Amino acid sequence: MSTLLCTIMLSVFCILTVSMTYASIDALQILAIESIAGKSHWNFMSAVLRSLTDIGHNVTVFTPFPDGNRDNYTEVFLDLPSKVEMDAEYTLNTFGKSTVMIPLLMNMTRSFCKIAYEQREMLEIVDSGKSANYDIIFTEIAASECASHIASKLDLPLIYVIPSPMITYIEHTVFGDVSNPATVSHLFAHHAVPRTFAQRFVNVILLGFSLLMLKYKEMELKKIDSQPYDLVEPIKPSLVFMNTHYITEAPRPFPASFIQIGGIHLSEPKGIPNDVLEFIENSPHGVIYFTFGSVISMSTLPDRVLKAFKEALAQVPLRVLWKYEGEMKDKPINVMTSKWFPQRDILMHPNVKLFISHGGISGVYEAVDAGVPVLGFPLFYDQPRNIDNLVEAGMAISMDLLTLQKDELLKNILDLINNEKYTKNAKIVSDRFKDRPMSPAELVVYWTEYVIRHKGAPHLKSHALNLTWYQYFLLDVIFVIFIFISFAIFITYKLFKIMYSYFFLKCSQTIRPKLE
């Protein structure tokens, strides 16, 4: 009885202490804009917003993927063009090249900003100014700072929500800092950690190219297609919520305003349809789950690649759930296809032994959380690096899609299934991933309220944002040091010249009479 009483008193004490430590925050009025028409982007943003509405904050969100209004949550449809189920080869050839990807992203983000800021409901908010009664803005940035325009107009704190790992080419824009290419891999790099000279060299080239290309492309677009948001000085975010976690991202330095909330989209399993569940549970050797996400259409893969997948999967003793659009010709007898599967629920089933994936970050966290080994076929953007992080963790094998051979594929599938080290490492990574002092949702709530409590939290912003590019890279300091060293060398040279001339002449005058 006394133990119970002590426990109750301790709990009350902790609650009172927390209540006195932090000033109470009334229900916030949050304006959110999902400025990228990607379903995985929205899944991340919606999870962030749900964590805020669940504790009573009010959210109004402009989104291209409306789910429906609920208590203290209002959606406004934002009609942005969405790219889903695209041709596989076109996607690889277009999005797989950094020379194409960066200009494309700049064009796309500015175009989406234009659509969003010309929408009637948005114009009404902008015209109302500070009387709009919002407390804070949430939006996503992918390339252009036009995403911050609404926060600038309303003079409100801004929080960026980024559903991928750190976007290397906007890191300087957002935080003022540039990652060290000797230790931190570029977002477009095909390696998790730059271990070799070649990888560090590629990192430097990627970093320099992406920074220059981004700057040049935006300057070009501002010149040929100037928009109202170009006339307003963009503001820097108070915080950035990033879909990263140190288990799936190599260790690196982070600024104070960088908050990792990787896996926030993970929800409790909701159940699997009966036909799929029966297929899984009646498989004596287990199940492989196979998907390349929503961006590309699996049926558009080259015939030779599809043939290699079919022939290899037909030879494994496991059953296969294959996300595939339409009817599959020559479908192996151990394969079930569907245009949609409840991915999260399937991966959590104990009879699922392998996940064949393109390496999208959402699927990566689902595999890590479930402790399932991965056979990766990264396509573009952050996917090669995402998969390589799992390879580094010892729970995955990475392969190239367009050079796929049946024998190599079959060998790797059997290795991942039969070699216990992959499953063991996947479970270790899963345990580390789940071991957190606070859940991602709790982090979102705490830091959002922190920004409001501290009037935008300007103290979290790096001084690097106040520096010019030549000051940041210490070029002015290096120039002064160079001048000083040059001056010191020049003085030393002159002194030696004078000393040489003096001693040479003196010696000459001494030696000459003796010779005579």
Side-chain angles (χ1 to χ4, degrees), residues 92 357-359 376-380 383-385 387 398-401:
L92 285 168
S357 169
H358 62 304
F377 291 89
L379 305 176
F380 60 89
Q383 295 164 10
R385 201 180 69 163
I387 292 295
S398 181
M399 298 184 69
D400 181 66
L401 183 65

Side-chain angles (χ1 to χ4, degrees), residues 194-375:
R195 299 188 184 281
T196 66
F197 171 80
Q199 290 172 339
R200 287 184 286 114
F201 182 81
V202 168
N203 250 5
V204 171
I205 298 300
L206 277 173
L207 179 61
F209 169 79
S210 59
L211 289 174
L212 291 173
M213 175 60 74
L214 191 76
K215 193 71 175 176
Y216 167 77
K217 191 62 182 178
E218 184 153 39
M219 288 173 61
E220 179 187 42
L221 291 174
K222 284 181 178 180
K223 185 176 180 180
I224 65 176
D225 186 27
S226 180
Q227 296 295 325
Y229 49 74
D230 294 327
L231 304 176
V232 179
E233 183 70 20
I235 67 170
K236 303 303 178 183
S238 299
L239 287 178
V240 177
F241 289 129
M242 193 82 67
N243 197 13
T244 59
H245 187 272
Y246 52 82
I247 289 302
T248 52
E249 181 84 358
R252 52 158 299 161
F254 291 125
S257 57
F258 181 106
I259 310 299
Q260 297 189 84
I261 56 168
I264 192 172
H265 71 290
L266 299 175
S267 58
E268 289 296 320
K270 299 176 182 177
I272 301 172
N274 290 333
D275 58 334
V276 179
L277 183 62
E278 183 179 351
F279 183 85
I280 294 173
E281 294 186 339
N282 290 340
S283 178
H285 301 289
V287 170
I288 297 170
Y289 179 58
F290 182 13
T291 177
F292 282 165
S294 60
V295 174
I296 73 164
S297 174
M298 191 78 77
S299 58
T300 64
L301 289 172
D303 290 339
R304 58 181 178 78
V305 174
L306 277 174
K307 183 181 178 182
F309 275 123
K310 291 175 188 177
E311 290 179 354
L313 292 173
Q315 295 182 37
V316 299
L318 292 79
R319 289 183 174 184
V320 181
L321 292 169
W322 188 342
K323 181 181 176 295
Y324 190 92
E325 305 78 15
E327 292 295 323
M328 179 185 290
K329 297 179 181 179
D330 304 319
K331 183 174 72 172
I333 59 173
N334 62 331
V335 170
M336 173 189 282
T337 61
S338 176
K339 65 179 181 180
W340 178 85
F341 284 110
Q343 178 168 299
R344 164 73 169 158
D345 306 313
I346 288 172
L347 289 174
M348 292 299 292
H349 196 285
N351 210 28
V352 174
K353 307 301 181 183
L354 178 64
F355 181 29
I356 303 178
S357 169
H358 62 304
I361 194 66
S362 296
V364 164
Y365 285 127
E366 289 170 1
V368 167
D369 189 58
V372 176
V374 175
L375 178 59

